[in-house]
């Protein structure tokens, strides 16, 4: 799918981000950027990373397979197994370091974070989630990172999904937002530890991603 017409602004930053003006504050600390990503370039990038670090279904610490398949790029990759949730410098499947985060993704993350009020974002971890139809993520906090002053930049590609923010408690009433391919969500500040969830992905077919939703989440996992 091409970029939405009229949104593209050329920039000296070699990113894939189309327009830095137009983020929408959903709540304090939460910013939504609709249709700002070059979907084709991101999906191509995901395929390159997955060739080196294939998607796999990780096990929860309780021994259940997650419905979302995952890969990582960056100095640190998020993993889960019987020993718990954590970051690892090595891909446990290969014993090798994760592939690097593409420069264009880092450029976009910095621009999105800056445009959302977080000017010093320097991610060292990038989790890539692949949702087949029916896959979901139950309410959780992102809290395996060392520094919660840094925001989370989350990019959506492929099939749409309903994303839910529950606020500071898991059982809090959810505010939902529909995320489409090319959308970016940034959250930090008082929302950094908000519980959030992804509802089961509905059946469909995306012209570039087929029957999958992809999510790229860039975070700062280690202290700066
Ligand atoms: O898929 C998404 O939009 C969010 C993923 C997420 O919350 C996570 O990976 O921690
Ligand atoms: Mn999360």
């Amino acid at each position: 799918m091409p970029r939405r017409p009229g949104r593209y602004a050329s920039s000296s930053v070699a990113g894939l981000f189309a327009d830095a003006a137009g983020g929408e504050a959903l709540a304090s600390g939460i910013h939504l950027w609709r249709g700002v990503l070059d979907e084709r370039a991101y999906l191509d990038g995901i395929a390159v990373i997955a060739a080196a670090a294939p998607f796999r279904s990780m096990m929860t610490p309780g021994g259940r397979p997650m419905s979302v398949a995952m890969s990582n790029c960056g100095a640190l990759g998020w993993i889960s197994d019987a020993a718990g949730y954590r970051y690892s410098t090595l891909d446990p499947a290969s014993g090798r370091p994760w592939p690097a985060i593409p420069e264009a993704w880092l450029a976009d993350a910095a621009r999105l974070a800056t445009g959302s009020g977080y000017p010093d974002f320097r991610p060292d971890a990038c989790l890539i989630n692949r949702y087949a139809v029916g896959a979901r993520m139950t309410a959780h906090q992102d809290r395996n990172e060392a520094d919660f002053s840094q925001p989370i930049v989350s990019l959506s590609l492929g099939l749409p999904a309903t994303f839910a923010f529950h606020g500071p408690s898991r059982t809090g009433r959810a505010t939902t937002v529909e995320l489409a391919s090319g959308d970016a969500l940034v959250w930090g500040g008082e929302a950094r530890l908000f519980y959030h969830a992804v509802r089961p992905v509905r059946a469909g077919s995306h012209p570039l991603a087929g029957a999958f939703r992809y999510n790229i989440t860039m975070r700062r996992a280690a202290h700066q």
Side-chain angles (χ1 to χ4, degrees):
M1 196 187 290
R3 291 186 190 96
R4 287 174 203 172
R7 303 283 316 251
Y8 184 74
S10 65
S11 160
S12 56
V13 181
L16 308 172
F17 176 50
D19 187 337
E24 181 191 336
L26 294 184
S28 181
I30 307 174
H31 296 259
L32 173 62
W33 300 79
R34 288 222 180 263
V36 292
L37 306 174
D38 183 330
E39 300 166 74
R40 190 180 294 275
Y42 269 97
L43 289 165
D44 287 350
I46 290 171
V48 170
I49 289 161
F55 285 102
R56 78 292 305 263
S57 172
M58 295 192 195
M59 300 298 273
T60 65
R64 289 204 236 168
M66 295 186 175
S67 67
V68 178
M70 295 175 177
S71 182
N72 286 280
C73 55
L76 290 165
W78 187 87
I79 60 170
S80 174
D81 59 21
Y85 302 138
R86 64 198 181 280
Y87 282 95
S88 168
T89 56
L90 302 178
D91 177 348
S94 66
R96 293 195 302 264
W98 303 98
I101 303 177
E103 287 296 327
W105 297 14
L106 292 170
D108 284 352
R111 293 178 64 188
L112 286 159
T114 300
S116 302
Y118 308 105
D120 299 317
F121 185 45
R122 279 186 292 278
D124 57 3
C126 178
L127 173 65
I128 308 173
N129 293 313
R130 188 185 69 189
Y131 296 75
V133 171
R136 67 190 185 127
M137 215 173 266
T138 55
H140 66 278
Q141 295 171 295
D142 288 7
R143 57 175 313 133
N144 299 125
E145 300 75 33
D147 181 356
F148 298 138
S149 71
Q150 293 271 317
I152 292 167
V153 172
S154 174
L155 313 178
S156 289
L157 286 315
L159 288 179
T162 304
F163 188 97
F165 270 114
H166 292 263
S169 119
R170 183 191 299 275
T171 51
R173 197 184 143 87
T175 301
T176 59
V177 53
E178 288 300 313
L179 294 178
S181 192
D183 292 351
L185 195 58
V186 179
W187 70 96
E190 63 189 80
R192 174 62 181 76
L193 287 172
F194 274 13
Y195 281 87
H196 55 281
V198 178
R199 306 276 195 245
V201 168
R202 300 176 295 270
S205 179
H206 182 273
L208 299 177
F212 290 103
R213 171 177 188 261
Y214 295 90
N215 165 258
I216 296 172
T217 297
M218 284 181 265
R219 308 187 184 104
R220 179 79 201 180
H223 275 297
Q224 309 229 40

